[in-house]
Amino acid sequence: MNEGFGLVVRFSLRDQECAAAFDELCAVTLEGIRADEPGTLAYVVHVPEGEPLVRVFYELYADRVAFEAHEVQPHTRRFLARREQYLAGVEVTFLDVLGGKGAGWRE
């Protein structure tokens, strides 16, 4: 069994202006994740169909240590500090990985 650890985060945004600013903040954050987080196996931002003021993040880490390393990165700290001004709500679901397929996946 893999040690993978994941989460799904659903962000509800205040309005379209906040959604645009939040998307910009996400783009900058993703640059840091791509450059500095080898233990982050997947970090994908989604817009659900028909819900223009919602963003859903799917995050998959090699293990909890990789997640904890992500949480202390400067780009993540910046995201966490600035996101609140755009949000109407947030829901987080932590996931223990049972198995799967994807880039970087270990059997």
Side-chain angles (χ1 to χ4, degrees):
M1 184 180 298
N2 288 293
E3 296 178 18
F5 174 75
L7 58 146
V8 174
V9 185
R10 182 181 177 90
F11 295 101
S12 299
L13 302 158
R14 294 180 191 271
D15 55 34
Q16 195 57 49
E17 185 176 312
C18 286
F22 184 83
D23 291 344
E24 289 178 26
L25 180 60
C26 290
V28 171
T29 304
L30 282 166
E31 290 175 12
I33 291 168
R34 287 185 193 111
D36 299 323
E37 297 188 23
T40 300
L41 305 178
Y43 195 100
V44 185
V45 179
H46 305 268
V47 178
E49 287 187 26
E51 297 184 78
L53 297 180
V54 173
R55 301 296 180 269
V56 176
F57 287 17
Y58 173 70
E59 304 174 34
L60 179 62
Y61 301 91
D63 50 32
R64 283 189 181 263
V65 172
F67 170 70
E68 291 166 7
H70 162 77
E71 290 291 288
V72 299
Q73 294 293 318
H75 50 266
T76 302
R77 302 304 303 161
R78 180 179 178 269
F79 174 80
L80 294 172
R82 296 187 178 182
R83 72 182 184 174
E84 294 302 320
Q85 63 189 315
Y86 309 123
L87 300 180
V90 61
E91 298 173 32
V92 180
T93 303
F94 292 97
L95 307 167
D96 288 324
V97 176
L98 295 178
K101 175 190 180 287
W105 189 258
R106 301 180 319 238
E107 288 298 327

